[in-house]
Amino acid sequence: MTQLSLVMVETRQAKPFLKWAGGKSQLLSQFENSYPLELKQGKIKRYIEPFVGGGAVFFEVAQKYEIGAAYLYDVNPELILVYKTVQKAPEKLIEQLDEIATRYRALTDDGRKSFFYEIRERYNLQRHQIDYRHYSPAWISRAAMLTTLFVFYIRLS
Ligand SMILES: C[S@@+](CC[C@H](N)C(=O)[O-])C[C@H]1O[C@@H](n2cnc3c(N)ncnc32)[C@H](O)[C@@H]1O
């Protein structure tokens, strides 16, 4: 399984950045009552999330309670690639997302659709060239493309 470990230094209003299927954002207030008392008392210093997905529960817990370290897992290597890229190269990822956003804003509706298909094709073609085990700069464009495709998909559907 693919894993990401984090040491919680500070989190500022971080929210899930991917609208992942089955995300639990809508259920967070219901989950609250089921959290262990020790979490609320700040006694739990290691948070382990076996199915992180979009991370709605993780972001909520990490910001509400004092957890020292978090270990996030997911079977989906594409997803973990995005989390690790956010961890390793946030500025470069933001730069690429800004470039995509600038290009997108300048396009007509039809142009935006073509842009979506263009990114999707590049994303699909790149798959076989990616080493999911070892970070490389190619991860940055892949993370930018996946994040963008999610946003596009929501806007165009
Ligand atoms: C519904 S999402 C989890 C929601 C998330 N915990 C939240 O807070 O919103 C389910 C995730 O579990 C992952 N998953 C499914 N089967 C798995 C397995 N056997 N091992 C690890 N992850 C798995 C999927 O890839 C998906 O990203």
Side-chain angles (χ1 to χ4, degrees):
M1 199 185 328
T2 330
Q3 181 210 327
L4 171 71
S5 53
L6 305 169
V7 175
M8 305 305 298
V9 179
E10 185 185 11
T11 52
R12 278 188 221 149
Q13 293 296 312
K15 286 189 176 172
F17 41 82
L18 292 173
K19 213 167 172 47
W20 206 248
K24 301 288 177 277
S25 296
Q26 309 298 323
L27 299 170
L28 292 174
S29 54
Q30 292 177 45
F31 290 167
E32 178 86 38
N33 296 330
S34 308
Y35 293 150
L37 187 60
E38 291 81 359
L39 179 66
K40 298 175 181 177
Q41 292 170 336
K43 290 182 184 163
I44 292 185
K45 296 293 170 206
R46 199 168 46 154
Y47 176 88
I48 300 170
E49 167 89 59
F51 309 106
V52 67
V57 174
F58 161 68
F59 284 115
E60 168 89 351
V61 166
Q63 289 172 103
K64 242 184 190 162
Y65 307 107
E66 283 194 22
I67 53 169
Y71 299 85
L72 310 177
Y73 300 82
D74 201 284
V75 75
N76 189 326
E78 299 288 358
L79 181 62
I80 294 297
L81 179 150
V82 176
Y83 279 111
K84 283 190 172 169
T85 304
V86 168
Q87 186 181 45
K88 286 174 187 289
E91 287 90 2
K92 287 188 179 143
L93 177 58
I94 290 167
E95 259 171 44
Q96 291 207 10
L97 289 169
D98 275 345
E99 280 168 24
I100 292 172
T102 303
R103 230 185 115 187
Y104 172 85
R105 282 194 211 99
L107 293 169
T108 60
D109 282 353
D110 281 348
R112 288 174 177 181
K113 276 191 187 153
S114 308
F115 191 33
F116 168 79
Y117 292 121
E118 178 197 315
I119 293 179
R120 193 178 68 176
E121 193 177 351
R122 259 197 289 143
Y123 182 81
N124 288 335
L125 288 172
Q126 192 198 39
R127 187 158 68 96
H128 302 292
Q129 291 151 17
I130 291 284
D131 175 353
Y132 292 93
R133 288 174 168 261
H134 303 104
Y135 173 80
S136 77
W139 283 27
I140 302 171
S141 64
R142 191 152 189 83
M145 285 193 282
L146 182 64
T147 314
T148 303
L149 289 172
F150 267 83
V151 175
F152 262 127
Y153 186 73
I154 292 161
R155 288 198 179 188
L156 296 176
S157 56

